[in-house]
Amino acid sequence: QVQLAESGGGLVQAGGSLRLSCAASGSIFNINTMGWYRQAPGKQRELVATITSGSNTLYADSVKGRFTISRDNAKSTGYLQMNSLKPEDTAVYYCLARIWGSGSRGFLDYWGQGTQVTVSS
């Protein structure tokens, strides 16, 4: 069974940095797109960044120039480097990966459990 495990969240002051990790485990044939989403209290979940298997990236306007998404295919792990953090970046951050695992007939979307990022002013 495929699972995603996130880590790296925490409390940081405005202007600081955090690095989130998303490790996929289980019987995996291939990982297509990986992405990060976030959900602040009282708000809808929103896209932060995505990266394809060919390393093409997409960023929300609000994080361009501050966040960097990357992946290590050998480790089945995705990363989100967050710099110059602002209080409005405070949210639960979720990893999403499109994975073809054993027993499935194609790619399926898997979500991580979420990791809290809190930026104090």
Side-chain angles (χ1 to χ4, degrees):
Q1 182 158 348
V2 174
Q3 291 185 323
L4 296 180
E6 297 141 339
S7 60
L11 173 64
V12 64
Q13 288 188 333
S17 298
L18 285 173
R19 188 192 195 205
L20 305 183
S21 298
C22 173
S25 61
S27 183
I28 298 170
F29 292 150
N30 190 269
I31 301 177
N32 196 331
T33 299
M34 301 185 78
W36 292 91
Y37 291 72
R38 66 186 182 187
Q39 187 166 19
K43 294 187 177 181
Q44 290 189 331
R45 191 172 297 189
E46 63 176 4
L47 171 71
V48 176
T50 61
I51 184 168
T52 67
S53 56
S55 295
N56 293 312
T57 59
L58 175 71
Y59 294 94
D61 287 343
S62 59
V63 306
K64 281 181 181 177
R66 300 189 297 123
F67 290 11
T68 302
I69 190 171
S70 62
R71 62 191 286 169
D72 184 334
N73 293 325
K75 296 181 179 180
S76 298
T77 300
Y79 304 97
L80 185 68
Q81 177 66 43
M82 305 185 294
N83 298 328
S84 302
L85 282 161
K86 304 175 181 179
E88 50 263 43
D89 294 319
T90 295
V92 177
Y93 283 70
Y94 297 90
C95 174
L96 170 68
R98 184 157 293 173
I99 297 173
W100 192 325
S102 65
S104 65
R105 296 185 178 183
F107 287 99
L108 297 175
D109 288 342
Y110 293 86
W111 288 93
Q113 80 284 357
T115 185
Q116 177 70 46
V117 171
T118 303
V119 184
S120 63
S121 57

